[in-house]
Amino acid sequence: MTMNADLRRERAAATFQPLLLTHILDGGPERTRRRKEIEALVLNDPDFQHEDLNFLSRSQRYEQAIRKSSLMVMKLREYGIADPEEIFWFKSFVHRGRPEPLDLHLGMFLPTLLTQATPEQQDRFFMPAWNLEIIGTYAQTEMGHGTHLRGLETTATYDPATQEFILNSPTVTSIKWWPGGLGKTSNHAIVLAQLYTQGQCKGLHAFIVPIRQLGTHEPLPGITVGDIGPKFGYDEMDNGYLKMDNFRIPRENMLMKYAQVEPDGTYVKPVSDKLTYGTMVFIRSLIVGDSARSLSRACTIAIRYSAVRHQSELKPGEPEPQILDYQTQQYKLFPLLATAYAFHFVGAYIKDTYHRISGDINEGDLSELPELHALTAGLKAFTSWTANAGIEECRMACGGHGYSRCSGIPDIYVTFTPSCTYEGENTVMMLQTARFLVKSYTQVSSGQRVTGMVSYLNDLSRQRIQPQHVAARTVTVRINDPVSLVEAYKARAARLVEAAAKNLQAELNHRKSKEDAWNRTSVDLVRASEAHCHYVVVKLFAAKLSEVSNAAVRAVLTDLCLLYALFGISKNTGDFLQAGILTSAQITQVNQHVKELLAVIRPNAVALVDSFDFHDVHLGSVLGRYDGNVYENMFEWAKKSPLNKTQVHESFHKHLKPMQAKL
Amino acid sequence: MALLETSKYSQGSVFGNVNPDLASERQTASFCVEKLTALLDGGAEQTRIRRAVVEAIQSDPVFSSENQYFQTQNERYEAAVRKAVHLQKKMHEMGWTENGPEYKYIYRALSGDVAFLLHRVFMRSISVLGSDKQIAKWIPLATQLRLIGSYAQTELGHGTYLQGLETTAIFDIATQEFILNTPKISAMKWWPGDMGRSATHTVVFAQLYIHGKCYGIHPFIVQIRSLQDHSLCPGITAGDIGPKMNFEAIDNGYLMLKNVRIPRENMLSKFCEVRPDGTYVRQGSQKINYFTMTAVRISLISDEVLTPLMKACTIAIRYSVVRRQSKLKPGEQEAKILDYQTQQEKLLPQLAAAYAFHFINNYLQELFDRGYREIQRKNFDMLPELHALSSGFKAVITHQGTAAVEICLRACGGHGYSLLSGLPSLYTKILASCIYEGENTILLLQTARFLIKCFMAASAGQPVPPSVTYLAAVKPGKCPAKNKSDFLSPDIYTEAYQHVAVRLISSTAAKLQDLIQSGAKKYDAWNQCTVQLVQAAKAHCHYITVKNFAETVEKLETKAGIQRIMKHLCDLFALHGIFSNTGAFLHDGYISAAQMDMVTASYLDLLAVIRKDAVPLVDAFDFTDKSLNSALGSYDGQVYQRLYEWAQKSPTNKMSPAYERYLKPLLHNALSKL
């Protein structure tokens, strides 16, 4: 089929070469080439083809996923793909960006063995797990507890007589709930439980627990295990439950690289627990990247479709315009497009920083870890919230057809939305960042200087010498200059951190309890963290511009950066007005400039989503097809729907006909 | 106080007692729950009737929604057809009629999972658009379900913009028939409910051609399936459009017409008729068509928005007092998550919005009834205002309701993501309301057009409809509040909302005029202002909602604590709106920076006040456990037991073929060669 004429015209009119931008997103032309090589390897492989998942039941989707996962593991080894990023690409092409039942085995079980098992334990478990004789999962979350780990209730009581741990789920709330791959797939689990030895609770520790019989795959005696039932998304994942009744495992099954229980029950404390920070930082940085990718996919679909869809009239007597020509449609989509780019750069920054700092960590230098930890917690929340809402806006911008599963956006949404909850619930994450911000503010107040992303707080102490209200501070903001806008965001963050810290202090003066004061300030604290994260995103986006050598690409990225920054102001005008950072007249100019930028970006909109370079198979959307032949393919897609399997549905004979006969 | 009355009604817990964490919330209610329920229902007698209907339906196993979350699209569809057929019988048995007081509660009791909803639209369109003769012919057949109707308007390529529809109906004088065609793929009818599998007839909207001249969109009754064996009629291609985010039970369909001939009498001809010789005649006023749209937009607010919003609040708030997480104070028990300020800030404004929208719905309903009486007297004066308000409020309420349900969903953390929480289904259902019956952005622009027109008229000293008279009294001024408690005065915040609405409407009107005076074409100027116009329309609706809430509270009886708690909710609704849009209020200095800090302080204080009554406030919505169909939100609060029990019923817990087929070889030998 030929390309839709509208899309062809859009692509011809772009002012830059999308491929150059793709290289920037991938981190260089060589990496783009390699990514596409791996993509081709998967997409041309008949073993990885299957029916449209939208038409399959949950059980069937699970089956397809398991089939592909097992093939994937074999082929990865066959092709000798071992670089983590390349494995990630391969996996996401195989599973088209969806989760799969071996995720926890590959992503948590194996790495935990590597980092927390003793050499003896590695000998026993690692190779069988590597060869998938052992399939494991990571059972942490319980029905009654998620983010608050200390509250977990599962117990592991040491019995020196037999040198075993006795595992129990003492309450309904202590049943392990949600771990992926637990419901049907795994035969082992790393279980987090409160360790009791010599009558004392020693806190949470990890244990390797066999749960199913090798050979028959039946649950072992004392183990109750199953699938937790249907969810919003994650159809291919067997999230499971696990209940243990006096289930005994040998002493050697506690992961003992750090903490240990000796045969007589003596507990040996670990040296440091800060190292687990590193893993959390890493996983949260992946979520930032995932926010960028998921939002990019949704933008690709919505913008291409908006260029293909014609509706209503703009000028009397003329043909119906592309809906992308309506200001309201541009206002919905282009700020999201700019956001997707911003988050790509933030994701890349955090990943690089993590790799840089993890070198230091290995050499025992943990000094930069607290800030990185605070930053990733906040950015994980900030980007996942924004992307979550953005995906929905993209779907809404596609009108009725966005609601059909053929648009692909419902699937992107349901797959993405749990990232607001997992790996740390977002509000809790924001409050962790706030704790760091308040601590930094307190340091500044007591005359110390702080460094890194919070160094703007140093300026506050200088300003406080002047007897003015903080709101009277003025920053000269040039609304056409990204660098100047970074300053405006900086001033807003400083103002909100200061306000939250002062409110916290005021509460502390009124009340006895620190916790109570913190709770009564938490709405302010979350706002401060959001402002801080927003500043970081604008700053990183603006900084990226100078790294771009191609003038045409730099020009279009500058437009996006300005749009991102100005749109953020126009959505939060109150903060900038109240702090006196911008005047009402400037706000009016900002609002006007946002609309001008929409018109400037309009001719490049399709090229900007093409640059994300999602293959149609990966995109999984009839509306977002590269060739734009939307309507024909919607019809083709619908004909495959399960309700259309027979011409006359069986319920006609069962219900309708008997009723009509009776009347 | 009389707090336990609702529990007498709500079914007993299968797990024994009510969770003590939930029970304790009910002990301390500051108002009488039963009285509030009666207020929401419009009187104790209405409550009694509603409960009787709900009881009759939910005790009938044919209407059970148990296991719904485990069913496939085909199974859901079949269940919906079965329920629709059974409903006919049930209504007959119970003596319920379409005009009786019970009727409006049936849909609520069924939670919507029932087929043939479009059959009702089919009947209504014939009643409104058909001639007396057509009504006499079709309505009795439809009433007895001798045929099943649908309503085919939307096409693949066109939705809200009706003039753009591409289906054609060409009049053939020789045979006195219309020939219907789908000339291209984008003209295929797409989305109509009940059309994919069930309907035998449908009302098709098509461009009418006589002698080669196009007369625009007209409605035609077309038979699409045989009444004998349900097979498709000649020239018809129809089927199901495939899986959607929700509405698994509904067979939204596609329809392609190829030279389908229907008799001349099948064009619905109350307003337009084609005579045998091909003469086209217009008759009567088409304004009534607008009125039908208005009616639909107002009627969907209650069933499609308020009900899911109130259910979501019920589930999230009950769960938030059962769920304990982390410690607020060292040494104490873990805190209920509703005791965290951030959780209150997520949920309580949504609860306030549910009440605000309930009252604005009453206001719209009254206005509509008044309009209806006027129209029957051939007075169409109220139509523009009704149309503008119904469009704007449909958009604002569906949008905010959708956002609110999503907040409830995410506020329940991981368990909210399980279908068994009930929240994903509520969300995917309510969000469709943002699109159907008019896309929200377009509707807001229609309201904006009305507002700009009224603003110009008011400025010129001409009379304007009652809801917009405030536009005439533009006063600059400043907010007079001096301390945070002043912001608990309805006069203070209502004025502030009014000020913002006037400012946004007048500044947009001024900008439109500027653009036109500087030479821009009218349509171009309009498109350049649409973002602002949308904001102006929202501000207007927000103002009316706040004003109406405050006026409603004023009129409530002070007994039983009802007025006091409603006043708190009204304050919260208003202050939350300012807190979330500070810029709009600060922009011209109407509210100062220092006053804004007072708003924030007052708003946050209110959260703690309403927190105490949160559970009674959702109990007052009076949903049965069967209606909620949620493992998290049941009346007894036995959340974890229920989750565990329901999960075990999941079909995924029956032995899956995946183990034998894929896992076994994988675990045993597949990799041994590596």
Side-chain angles (χ1 to χ4, degrees):
Chain A
M1 234 188 284
T2 53
M3 194 193 291
N4 171 290
D6 287 313
L7 280 186
R8 196 173 335 117
R9 207 164 33 247
E10 295 287 340
R11 286 174 177 135
T15 64
F16 71 100
Q17 256 184 289
L19 185 63
L20 295 178
L21 189 44
T22 306
H23 291 161
I24 293 173
L25 292 171
D26 278 327
E30 172 53 28
R31 289 162 64 80
T32 301
R33 191 197 59 74
R34 181 63 180 149
R35 177 176 58 77
K36 294 190 84 77
E37 199 170 81
I38 291 174
E39 181 180 88
L41 217 50
V42 174
L43 298 182
N44 296 331
D45 187 337
D47 284 348
F48 289 127
Q49 319 259 329
H50 50 77
E51 200 184 334
D52 190 318
L53 296 173
N54 287 299
F55 302 131
L56 302 183
S57 72
R58 236 200 102 203
S59 282
Q60 291 167 321
R61 283 173 81 150
Y62 169 68
E63 229 185 288
Q64 280 298 343
I66 265 287
R67 183 184 70 80
K68 288 197 291 182
S69 293
S70 14
L71 280 169
M72 175 183 81
V73 172
M74 284 192 279
K75 295 204 178 195
L76 276 171
R77 289 174 198 178
E78 197 181 309
Y79 298 135
I81 295 174
D83 173 69
E85 185 134 8
E86 295 190 357
I87 292 177
F88 173 81
W89 286 335
F90 195 92
K91 177 176 144 11
S92 81
F93 296 136
V94 168
H95 291 283
R96 301 167 190 189
R98 289 192 178 80
E100 50 109 353
L102 293 187
D103 273 349
L104 274 277
H105 177 75
L106 302 172
M108 287 301 288
F109 190 78
L110 288 174
T112 308
L113 284 181
L114 283 177
T115 53
Q116 295 187 41
T118 62
E120 179 273 328
Q121 289 174 323
Q122 300 216 6
D123 284 349
R124 267 201 299 149
F125 293 107
F126 192 78
M127 279 323 284
W130 179 252
N131 288 334
L132 296 181
E133 287 155 34
I134 287 178
I135 297 179
T137 179
Y138 189 82
Q140 175 176 298
T141 302
E142 295 172 0
M143 243 199 220
H145 287 92
T147 302
H148 180 62
L149 290 185
R150 273 164 300 163
L152 295 179
E153 298 172 278
T154 303
T155 58
T157 310
Y158 186 63
D159 177 1
T162 60
Q163 304 218 359
E164 289 171 321
F165 291 103
I166 311 163
L167 282 122
N168 269 300
S169 310
T171 58
V172 177
T173 44
S174 73
I175 296 173
K176 294 291 175 187
W177 200 268
W178 283 112
L182 173 64
K184 300 273 111 183
T185 314
S186 302
N187 52 27
H188 280 69
I190 288 176
V191 169
L192 270 87
Q194 304 284 359
L195 166 65
Y196 284 87
T197 182
Q198 298 176 334
Q200 279 185 310
C201 180
K202 299 292 179 185
L204 277 189
H205 289 76
F207 303 84
I208 301 177
V209 180
I211 55 174
R212 286 189 168 92
Q213 188 74 51
L214 298 181
T216 65
H217 211 58
E218 293 290 336
L220 293 165
I223 296 286
T224 309
V225 64
D227 176 89
I228 63 162
K231 296 142 298 186
F232 207 176
Y234 273 55
D235 278 358
E236 34 281 292
M237 181 68 100
D238 54 324
N239 297 85
Y241 58 78
L242 170 67
K243 188 168 171 290
M244 294 170 291
D245 293 300
N246 290 317
F247 188 77
R248 288 176 172 261
I249 55 169
R251 184 184 68 90
E252 293 80 14
N253 277 24
M254 174 174 143
L255 288 172
M256 290 211 258
K257 186 167 175 183
Y258 301 108
Q260 288 164 19
V261 172
E262 293 180 348
D264 66 348
T266 309
Y267 178 73
V268 184
K269 265 207 290 202
V271 191
S272 162
D273 56 357
K274 270 201 176 161
L275 289 162
T276 49
Y277 265 3
T279 325
M280 275 198 285
V281 168
F282 178 67
I283 293 177
R284 287 172 192 161
S285 77
L286 292 182
I287 294 178
V288 175
D290 197 32
S291 301
R293 269 185 305 278
S294 301
L295 183 56
S296 306
R297 282 172 75 185
C299 284
T300 304
I301 295 166
I303 288 178
R304 284 186 186 157
Y305 175 64
S306 298
V308 170
R309 177 94 170 167
H310 289 251
Q311 202 75 179
S312 198
E313 60 182 18
L314 210 47
K315 298 176 195 176
E318 290 200 2
E320 296 180 77
Q322 293 163 286
I323 57 174
L324 201 54
D325 285 333
Y326 289 95
Q327 190 189 54
T328 45
Q329 189 76 352
Q330 296 168 3
Y331 191 72
K332 284 176 198 169
L333 296 176
F334 295 169
L336 296 173
L337 179 63
T339 306
Y341 273 94
F343 290 178
H344 269 289
F345 300 135
V346 174
Y349 167 85
I350 297 193
K351 203 169 70 183
D352 291 348
T353 312
Y354 170 75
H355 286 309
R356 181 171 60 74
I357 294 186
S358 57
D360 300 343
I361 296 173
N362 287 339
E363 280 156 33
D365 175 8
L366 303 178
S367 60
E368 280 190 80
L369 205 49
E371 179 178 5
L372 186 63
H373 182 250
L375 189 64
T376 43
L379 286 173
K380 179 261 177 188
F382 184 80
T383 58
S384 61
W385 266 337
T386 311
N388 186 66
I391 294 164
E392 279 300 74
E393 278 187 69
C394 287
R395 186 188 51 69
M396 216 69 109
C398 294
H401 295 333
Y403 193 74
S404 165
R405 290 200 180 257
C406 78
S407 76
I409 306 184
D411 208 68
I412 297 172
Y413 176 73
V414 298
T415 305
F416 181 76
T417 190
S419 54
C420 295
T421 309
Y422 60 57
E423 299 304 335
E425 197 277 326
N426 277 356
T427 303
V428 179
M429 293 298 97
M430 280 297 188
L431 288 170
Q432 284 186 9
T433 303
R435 213 171 272 281
F436 178 78
L437 293 172
V438 168
K439 205 172 133 196
S440 303
Y441 176 82
T442 313
Q443 284 173 343
V444 169
S445 307
S446 66
Q448 296 172 49
R449 288 188 68 77
V450 292
T451 55
M453 287 288 185
V454 287
S455 55
Y456 60 83
L457 293 173
N458 292 325
D459 302 342
L460 284 173
S461 60
R462 213 176 329 117
Q463 276 142 5
R464 207 170 305 101
I465 301 168
Q466 295 148 14
Q468 292 169 324
H469 184 261
V470 67
R473 200 187 316 142
T474 49
V475 186
T476 318
V477 179
R478 297 176 307 280
I479 64 166
N480 267 320
D481 177 5
V483 176
S484 179
L485 294 173
V486 173
E487 292 302 309
Y489 274 91
K490 192 192 264 188
R492 168 186 178 232
R495 190 252 165 195
L496 287 176
V497 171
E498 179 172 52
K502 283 185 170 167
N503 288 349
L504 180 63
Q505 192 53 52
E507 289 289 344
L508 278 171
N509 295 344
H510 282 110
R511 271 157 241 279
K512 292 174 213 119
S513 145
K514 228 163 55 179
E515 291 75 15
D516 223 14
W518 180 264
N519 187 28
R520 291 187 59 96
T521 321
S522 52
V523 168
D524 292 331
L525 289 163
V526 169
R527 280 178 80 192
S529 290
E530 282 178 327
H532 175 71
C533 294
H534 209 157
Y535 152 67
V536 171
V537 176
V538 174
K539 179 186 157 84
L540 292 176
F541 199 164
K544 187 77 196 173
L545 299 176
S546 58
E547 294 172 24
V548 179
S549 52
N550 181 284
V553 174
R554 191 170 56 242
V556 70
L557 281 180
T558 305
D559 292 336
L560 284 177
C561 179
L562 279 172
L563 180 65
Y564 180 76
L566 293 174
F567 183 78
I569 293 175
S570 78
K571 282 282 141 183
N572 297 283
T573 53
D575 290 349
F576 292 89
L577 284 169
Q578 203 180 355
I581 302 163
L582 293 168
T583 62
S584 296
Q586 282 176 307
I587 293 289
T588 307
Q589 282 171 22
V590 166
N591 290 338
Q592 184 54 32
H593 200 44
V594 164
K595 284 173 236 162
E596 286 160 14
L597 280 167
L598 297 178
V600 171
I601 290 166
R602 168 67 186 85
N604 281 322
V606 169
L608 279 166
V609 297
D610 285 350
S611 304
F612 293 137
D613 197 26
F614 290 108
H615 192 283
D616 273 355
V617 173
H618 190 56
L619 205 53
S621 167
V622 179
L623 301 190
R625 295 169 60 94
Y626 185 81
D627 69 10
N629 293 313
V630 170
Y631 297 131
E632 301 82 341
N633 285 289
M634 277 182 82
F635 187 35
E636 290 309 310
W637 181 86
K639 284 194 275 190
K640 296 181 204 147
S641 163
L643 249 68
N644 289 329
K645 287 266 155 71
T646 54
Q647 187 54 257
V648 175
H649 194 269
E650 57 180 336
S651 59
F652 171 73
H653 302 289
K654 267 197 200 161
H655 304 293
L656 291 178
K657 210 171 169 185
M659 170 194 67
Q660 286 170 331
K662 267 184 245 159
L663 288 167
Chain B
M1 285 187 131
L3 308 165
L4 296 171
E5 281 166 52
T6 45
S7 63
K8 277 190 297 197
Y9 165 64
S10 295
Q11 61 276 69
S13 165
V14 288
F15 298 102
N17 299 329
V18 171
N19 182 317
D21 281 337
L22 197 45
S24 67
E25 298 283 336
R26 293 178 175 132
Q27 306 298 322
T28 52
S30 76
F31 64 94
C32 171
V33 173
E34 185 66 12
K35 286 239 160 67
L36 183 54
T37 301
L39 172 72
L40 291 169
D41 279 321
E45 175 60 10
Q46 291 297 314
T47 303
R48 194 193 59 74
I49 297 171
R50 176 176 55 73
R51 286 177 180 168
V53 171
V54 169
E55 172 60 22
I57 285 189
Q58 294 186 345
S59 63
D60 186 333
V62 180
F63 293 121
S64 167
S65 295
E66 210 189 327
N67 297 329
Q68 173 181 292
Y69 299 128
F70 305 131
Q71 290 173 334
T72 64
Q73 201 189 354
N74 263 325
E75 290 163 340
R76 291 284 291 275
Y77 168 68
E78 192 188 317
V81 172
R82 188 183 67 229
K83 288 181 194 180
V85 169
H86 187 66
L87 182 61
Q88 292 288 111
K89 203 172 125 207
K90 189 85 187 176
M91 286 182 63
H92 184 73
E93 251 172 51
M94 301 297 296
W96 299 336
T97 64
E98 303 219 346
N99 303 316
E102 296 89 359
Y103 191 72
K104 63 177 169 178
Y105 299 123
I106 295 175
Y107 184 79
R108 169 171 159 140
L110 287 169
S111 295
D113 232 16
V114 59
F116 309 158
L117 296 174
L118 265 285
H119 183 68
R120 310 199 39 70
V121 181
F122 172 82
M123 288 174 67
R124 191 175 55 215
S125 60
I126 293 175
S127 311
V128 175
L129 303 171
S131 64
D132 292 345
K133 212 170 140 192
Q134 287 168 326
I135 293 172
K137 174 178 176 186
W138 294 101
I139 294 297
L141 289 170
T143 309
Q144 295 168 32
L145 278 181
R146 287 192 178 267
L147 52 84
I148 298 162
S150 173
Y151 181 85
Q153 178 177 297
T154 302
E155 297 173 358
L156 250 183
H158 286 91
T160 304
Y161 180 65
L162 291 185
Q163 292 108 292
L165 296 178
E166 296 171 292
T167 304
T168 58
I170 299 169
F171 186 57
D172 179 356
I173 299 184
T175 60
Q176 293 286 302
E177 288 170 322
F178 295 105
I179 311 164
L180 278 90
N181 271 296
T182 303
K184 55 204 268 207
I185 193 122
S186 57
M188 197 178 342
K189 294 293 175 189
W190 200 270
W191 281 110
D194 294 339
M195 197 172 76
R197 302 274 84 188
S198 306
T200 60
H201 288 68
T202 185
V203 173
V204 170
F205 283 76
Q207 303 282 0
L208 168 65
Y209 284 86
I210 308 167
H211 296 311
K213 187 179 166 197
C214 181
Y215 288 84
I217 290 295
H218 288 75
F220 303 85
I221 298 178
V222 181
Q223 182 173 354
I224 59 172
R225 287 191 176 86
S226 151
L227 288 170
Q228 298 307 314
D229 61 5
H230 217 61
S231 62
L232 292 172
C233 294
I236 300 284
T237 306
D240 179 90
I241 62 161
K244 301 139 293 188
M245 285 190 93
N246 197 320
F247 294 91
E248 291 94 337
I250 307 292
D251 53 324
N252 296 85
Y254 59 77
L255 171 68
M256 217 165 16
L257 303 146
K258 194 170 176 204
N259 290 322
V260 173
R261 288 178 168 263
I262 56 167
R264 188 180 64 88
E265 293 76 20
N266 277 22
M267 179 173 124
L268 291 175
S269 56
K270 182 166 189 174
F271 301 110
C272 313
E273 195 186 353
V274 178
R275 299 255 163 90
D277 64 353
T279 320
Y280 179 83
V281 189
R282 240 177 229 290
Q283 54 211 358
S285 168
Q286 287 223 8
K287 281 185 183 163
I288 191 82
N289 280 341
Y290 269 109
F291 193 69
T292 318
M293 268 196 289
T294 304
V296 174
R297 283 172 193 158
I298 291 177
S299 69
L300 73 84
I301 292 173
S302 169
D303 283 338
E304 305 300 337
V305 185
L306 289 177
T307 301
L309 172 57
M310 289 170 171
K311 281 183 180 176
C313 287
T314 306
I315 295 167
I317 286 176
R318 285 182 182 164
Y319 175 65
S320 295
V321 299
V322 169
R323 178 88 171 171
R324 288 177 175 273
Q325 202 75 177
S326 199
K327 289 178 185 177
L328 259 176
K329 288 172 194 161
E332 283 190 3
Q333 199 187 356
E334 290 182 73
K336 294 175 174 180
I337 58 174
L338 196 60
D339 286 328
Y340 290 94
Q341 190 189 48
T342 45
Q343 186 77 354
Q344 294 166 9
E345 214 267 319
K346 285 175 195 170
L347 295 178
L348 302 182
Q350 318 317 321
L351 178 63
Y355 278 92
F357 294 156
H358 171 82
F359 293 125
I360 199 72
N361 183 45
N362 287 350
Y363 164 87
L364 291 170
Q365 207 66 55
E366 271 168 40
L367 200 69
F368 176 81
D369 291 343
R370 198 149 23 98
Y372 186 63
R373 287 194 298 272
E374 291 298 317
I375 282 171
Q376 283 177 322
R377 278 186 255 143
K378 300 274 177 247
N379 174 8
F380 294 101
D381 290 353
M382 273 182 78
L383 259 182
E385 185 187 24
L386 253 183
H387 181 247
L389 279 173
S390 66
S391 304
F393 275 107
K394 184 269 177 185
V396 166
I397 295 176
T398 56
H399 178 259
Q400 299 229 3
T402 300
V405 173
E406 212 233 351
I407 290 171
C408 292
L409 192 161
R410 278 193 285 125
C412 292
H415 294 326
Y417 189 71
S418 168
L419 283 196
L420 308 181
S421 75
L423 291 164
S425 312
L426 289 171
Y427 175 63
T428 50
K429 190 144 193 218
I430 192 176
L431 65 81
S433 67
C434 294
I435 302 156
Y436 58 63
E437 300 304 337
E439 197 276 329
N440 279 353
T441 303
I442 296 171
L443 293 186
L444 285 167
L445 287 172
Q446 289 179 5
T447 307
R449 208 177 275 279
F450 168 81
L451 292 172
I452 295 289
K453 220 166 127 185
C454 291
F455 176 76
M456 304 300 240
S459 310
Q462 291 157 10
V464 292
S467 63
V468 284
T469 44
Y470 75 96
L471 292 175
V474 189
K475 23 183 199 272
K478 302 269 174 215
C479 173
K482 294 200 171 48
N483 52 53
K484 70 175 183 179
S485 61
D486 285 347
F487 280 103
L488 301 179
S489 152
D491 289 344
I492 297 272
Y493 55 68
T494 308
E495 283 270 320
Y497 273 94
Q498 188 192 83
H499 180 84
V500 168
V502 172
R503 180 174 66 74
L504 288 174
I505 294 164
S506 62
S507 67
T508 313
K511 180 156 176 230
L512 264 175
Q513 283 213 304
D514 278 358
L515 284 170
I516 290 166
Q517 272 166 11
S518 60
K521 293 264 170 27
K522 230 176 170 171
Y523 53 80
D524 238 358
W526 182 262
N527 190 30
Q528 282 184 49
C529 291
T530 42
V531 167
Q532 267 171 280
L533 286 161
V534 165
Q535 281 160 356
K538 282 184 186 165
H540 170 72
C541 293
H542 210 155
Y543 160 58
I544 303 278
T545 311
V546 168
K547 180 166 167 265
N548 177 66
F549 201 162
E551 286 170 359
T552 306
V553 170
E554 189 78 3
K555 282 180 268 174
L556 290 176
E557 54 171 336
T558 52
K559 270 188 297 183
I562 303 281
Q563 193 190 40
R564 191 176 49 224
I565 187 67
M566 287 299 112
K567 164 76 167 55
H568 289 320
L569 281 178
C570 178
D571 294 346
L572 185 74
F573 179 77
L575 296 187
H576 175 256
I578 301 177
F579 175 77
S580 339
N581 300 288
T582 51
F585 294 85
L586 288 164
H587 189 86
D588 59 351
Y590 182 81
I591 288 185
S592 70
Q595 284 173 323
M596 197 52 84
D597 286 339
M598 297 171 198
V599 169
T600 306
S602 221
Y603 166 63
L604 295 177
D605 287 348
L606 271 172
L607 293 177
V609 172
I610 293 167
R611 155 70 186 89
K612 299 190 195 104
D613 280 317
V615 168
L617 280 167
V618 297
D619 282 352
F621 295 144
D622 201 25
F623 290 108
T624 62
D625 285 353
K626 281 182 180 160
S627 291
L628 292 173
N629 206 5
S630 163
L632 304 189
S634 292
Y635 187 83
D636 66 10
Q638 302 293 357
V639 168
Y640 300 113
Q641 290 84 339
R642 198 168 266 110
L643 255 182
Y644 186 42
E645 190 171 284
W646 287 15
Q648 290 172 66
K649 291 195 276 184
S650 170
T652 42
N653 283 324
K654 306 198 177 90
M655 200 56 193
S656 148
Y659 174 69
E660 284 296 325
R661 264 187 229 162
Y662 304 109
L663 277 178
K664 201 169 169 184
L666 182 69
L667 292 163
H668 287 260
N669 50 30
L671 288 164
S672 54
K673 57 177 182 273
L674 285 173

